[in-house]
Amino acid sequence: MMTAKHRILEAGVERIHVVEQGSGPLVLLVHGFPESWYSWRRQLPVLAAAGYRAVALDVRGYGRSSKPQDPAAYRMLDLISDNVSVVRALGESSAVIIGHDWGATIAAQSALVEPEVFRAVGLLSVPYSPPGGPRPSEVFAGMGGGQEFYVSYFQRPGRAEAEIEPNVRGWLAGFYSALSADTMAAADASDPHFIAQGGTLRERFPTGALPSWLTQDDLDFYAAEFERTGFTGALNRYRNMDRDWEDLATYAGSPIKQPSLFLGGTRDASTMWLSDAIDAYPQTLPNLTGSHLLDCGHWIQQERPDDVNRLLVEFLDSL
C-alpha cells in the first residue's frame, strides 16, 4: 500500500497543503470546523486500497495552508477557486468532492459553481440547501430567544478567539465531546450551540472522558495545529456568510445535478435542524444515489469510520 504523502500545492495566489494516498480517479476530501486534513485519516487508506487517488486538504486558514489576513479572503468563491486549483495542480481535470461540516457546504457549492470540474459530490453531516432565502445574519440573530446562537457569537473578530486560544486543547476536547454521540449532554441539558448572555460556549461543554473516537494523540495533533495557526483563519469562514449569500445570489434555488450522496448522524443537530433540506432532496439533489442516517453525532467519519468508508466506496464505485 502506498503511504500517505504530504505536499504543498500552489493554488492560484495561495498555497494549499494536501495529504495524498493511492492512485486512480481523484477524490478530494474537504474538512470542517475545527478540524484539518487529519479528520480523514481513517478514509485515506481505505479509499486508496479501493483504487482511488484520495487527497485530503487543509482548507485555507487551517494547518499548513495559506492564511490570508483579509477576512474577505475566506469567502466561498475563493475556497471554490482553491479546490479547482488543487485539482489542476494535481494534474487532473475533474474530481469527486466529498466534504464534512463546513466542508460539506464547500463541496456542495464547488459542485454547483464548477460542475465541469466536480463530477460528483458527497456530503457528510450538513445537508445541501441551495443558496438564497433570507440574509443569514438575520436568520441567526433570530435564533435562541434570549441566548446567542454560536454562528452569531463567532462573527466579531477576536471575540471567540479570546475564549478559545488561552486553552486550545481543553476547548477542542470540550467542543468535540459536546457533539459526539457517546459524550454529548442529555437532551434536557443546556444546548452547547447557544451562549447565555455574557457567557461562553465552553460553559456548556461536557467534561470528563474523551469521545471513544478521539485518542489523546488525536487531540494532541489537532491542538498542535491550532496552537500554531490560531483560530482566526478557521473562524473567518463564519464571518463571510452574508458575503457568500450575495456572491451566490445568481444560484438561488439551484439544484446540484451531478450524482450525490448524503450521510448524516441521527444525533447530530445539523441533521435534525435541516431535516426540511433532506426532505427537499428530490428537487435539490435530483441525482442523489443514497441518503443514510447513521447512529452517531456530528463527527461522522471519525465516529463511524467503517460504515462511512463502506458507503463512500459504494458511491464511488457506482460512478
Side-chain angles (χ1 to χ4, degrees):
M1 166 66 67
M2 185 186 299
T3 56
K5 179 171 60 178
H6 291 256
R7 300 171 64 179
I8 302 288
L9 303 177
E10 298 296 329
V13 298
E14 308 299 342
R15 298 176 316 285
I16 300 295
H17 168 241
V18 303
V19 181
E20 176 180 357
Q21 193 163 357
S23 59
L26 178 60
V27 181
L28 195 63
L29 302 168
V30 187
H31 67 80
F33 176 89
E35 300 178 273
S36 82
W37 74 266
Y38 188 78
S39 62
W40 301 105
R41 64 195 176 281
R42 296 191 175 101
Q43 283 67 52
L44 287 165
V46 173
L47 297 183
Y52 296 94
R53 185 184 186 187
V55 176
L57 55 80
D58 278 336
V59 173
R60 175 189 297 221
Y62 289 82
R64 297 188 218 169
S65 293
S66 290
K67 295 160 207 56
Q69 292 297 311
D70 181 3
Y74 295 84
R75 69 203 313 149
M76 184 62 72
L77 290 179
D78 285 336
L79 301 185
I80 294 170
S81 177
D82 287 347
N83 291 338
V84 172
S85 295
V86 164
V87 171
R88 292 183 176 144
L90 291 167
E92 304 284 354
S93 59
S94 68
V96 177
I97 189 166
I98 296 169
H100 169 255
D101 181 75
W102 258 123
T105 304
I106 296 167
Q109 295 185 350
S110 295
L112 181 65
V113 174
E114 296 284 356
E116 299 302 313
V117 178
F118 300 106
R119 61 190 182 90
V121 60
L123 309 176
L124 277 57
S125 298
V126 175
Y128 174 59
S129 295
R135 182 177 289 274
S137 60
E138 295 171 1
V139 174
F140 298 132
M143 296 175 65
Q147 304 179 90
E148 186 175 19
F149 190 47
Y150 79 100
V151 176
S152 300
Y153 178 72
F154 285 167
Q155 292 304 305
R156 194 172 78 230
R159 185 182 179 203
E161 289 93 327
E163 173 187 338
I164 301 167
E165 291 179 357
N167 180 6
V168 167
R169 193 178 193 277
W171 194 90
L172 287 172
F175 192 78
Y176 295 147
S177 296
L179 306 187
S180 296
D182 59 346
T183 48
M184 64 177 55
D188 59 354
S190 297
D191 190 330
H193 296 89
F194 293 88
I195 297 99
Q197 290 297 327
T200 62
L201 274 172
R202 182 194 295 271
E203 293 166 7
R204 296 186 173 181
F205 293 165
T207 56
L210 294 177
S212 57
W213 61 268
L214 185 71
T215 67
Q216 296 288 346
D217 286 346
D218 294 334
L219 182 58
D220 286 344
F221 181 90
Y222 283 124
E225 291 288 270
F226 286 108
E227 289 280 9
R228 186 165 48 77
T229 63
F231 265 80
T232 297
L235 289 163
N236 278 342
R237 177 83 289 275
Y238 292 92
R239 296 166 183 161
N240 278 275
M241 298 179 81
D242 282 355
R243 193 174 279 118
D244 297 340
W245 178 79
E246 295 168 1
D247 287 344
L248 297 170
T250 56
Y251 295 91
S254 296
I256 293 172
K257 297 177 181 177
Q258 299 95 308
S260 56
L261 172 73
F262 175 72
L263 307 178
T266 56
R267 301 184 64 191
D268 183 2
S270 302
T271 302
M272 294 185 275
W273 289 337
L274 295 170
S275 60
D276 288 352
I278 296 173
D279 292 342
Y281 279 167
Q283 291 75 48
T284 61
L285 295 176
N287 284 307
L288 184 72
T289 67
S291 179
H292 306 270
L293 294 180
L294 306 181
D295 181 19
C296 63
H298 184 64
W299 317 106
I300 184 168
Q301 79 269 37
Q302 297 177 91
E303 291 186 60
R304 297 288 298 272
D306 293 343
D307 293 306
V308 168
N309 290 342
R310 175 179 55 81
L311 291 164
L312 289 181
V313 171
E314 287 176 2
F315 172 60
L316 292 168
D317 288 350
S318 75
L319 302 174

